[in-house]
Amino acid sequence: DTGVSQDPRHKITKRGQNVTFRCDPISEHNRLYWYRQTLGQGPEFLTYFQNEAQLEKSRLLSDRFSAERPKGSFSTLEIQRTEQGDSAMYLCASSLEYPNTEAFFGQGTRLTVV
Amino acid sequence: GENVEQHPSTLSVQEGDSAVIKCTYSDSASNYFPWYKQELGKRPQLIIDIRSNVGEKKDQRIAVTLNKTAKHFSLHITETQPEDSAVYFCAASTSGTYKYIFGTGTRLKVLA
């Protein structure tokens, strides 16, 4: 599968622990997005990178959340001091640089905070 | 802020009937409108998209219409089949921001 890949697929963690997720976009894609999806809802925008630059962060992204894309390739999303409300599917997507172009999604990381 | 409303939240149709899902967006600068299909436990996948310079686009059994004045767009699926059963999400995007704002989804059930 040469699409967007995410690791791990599932993560169960205790409240208060830190977790880190990884996303590997399609290799030629400059843009990388992180979304959060809860049951019965559409994906909610969290943040977006153009190459290694983080260009936009949602107000949903509290100080406990940080994302990086150090070399403009893979990205990591870290959640510190996890809370039960962080339980969700975290989706990564990537796209080419041109406007109005398809975003390709990964299969997501399902986080459960107990 | 930007918002996309989607209706209905659930839709059941008989196999062979048509299904219509409607979305309304708030940002008049939005100019790209993709539709994604998400099957249970799988990633969202693009099924059709439309840009603001056209009013309608069709791909086999799937069509999307856009009314810029009213700021709404719709997905039409004809001759529905059981494999069309999934959750469908509309989204809107604006050049310059490049993020996609998604609707809350429509769970479509096609009854055999």
Side-chain angles (χ1 to χ4, degrees), chain B residues 62-93:
Chain B
I62 295 173
V64 56
T65 58
L66 172 64
N67 183 328
K68 287 189 294 182
T69 302
K71 292 193 285 188
H72 67 69
F73 56 113
S74 300
L75 177 71
H76 304 253
I77 306 175
T78 58
E79 300 171 20
T80 53
Q81 301 168 2
E83 51 266 38
D84 294 330
S85 296
V87 180
Y88 291 81
F89 294 100
C90 61
S93 174

Side-chain angles (χ1 to χ4, degrees), chain A residues 35 56 100-101 103 105 107, chain B residues 32 36 43 51 99-100:
Chain A
Y35 283 84
E56 189 169 349
N100 301 339
T101 186
F105 281 87
Q107 292 192 302
Chain B
Y32 176 63
Y36 283 82
R43 71 188 78 193
R51 292 166 177 77
K99 66 185 179 185
Y100 304 83

Side-chain angles (χ1 to χ4, degrees), chain A residues 4-95:
Chain A
V4 179
S5 62
Q6 292 186 243
D7 184 70
R9 294 287 307 279
H10 304 274
K11 178 71 177 178
I12 300 174
T13 191
K14 291 184 179 179
R15 189 175 51 187
Q17 297 293 306
N18 299 342
V19 293
T20 300
F21 311 140
R22 176 179 171 123
C23 171
D24 286 89
I26 295 172
S27 59
E28 62 266 28
H29 285 183
N30 301 92
R31 298 215 180 101
L32 186 147
Y33 309 82
W34 284 99
Y35 283 84
R36 180 171 65 191
Q37 187 177 27
T38 53
L39 197 62
Q41 298 295 315
E44 292 178 296
F45 172 79
L46 293 179
T47 190
Y48 143 67
F49 290 85
Q50 171 95 359
N51 298 314
E52 67 275 10
Q54 188 174 19
L55 297 187
E56 189 169 349
K57 291 172 60 173
S58 165
R59 291 170 296 169
L60 296 174
L61 218 61
S62 76
D63 292 343
R64 297 184 297 104
F65 288 71
S66 61
E68 295 183 341
R69 194 182 183 196
K71 297 182 180 178
S73 56
F74 73 92
S75 175
T76 58
L77 177 69
E78 181 183 17
I79 309 174
Q80 296 182 326
R81 305 181 303 281
T82 52
E83 301 173 357
Q84 286 190 320
D86 297 331
S87 296
M89 175 73 83
Y90 289 84
L91 291 166
C92 175
S94 70
S95 73

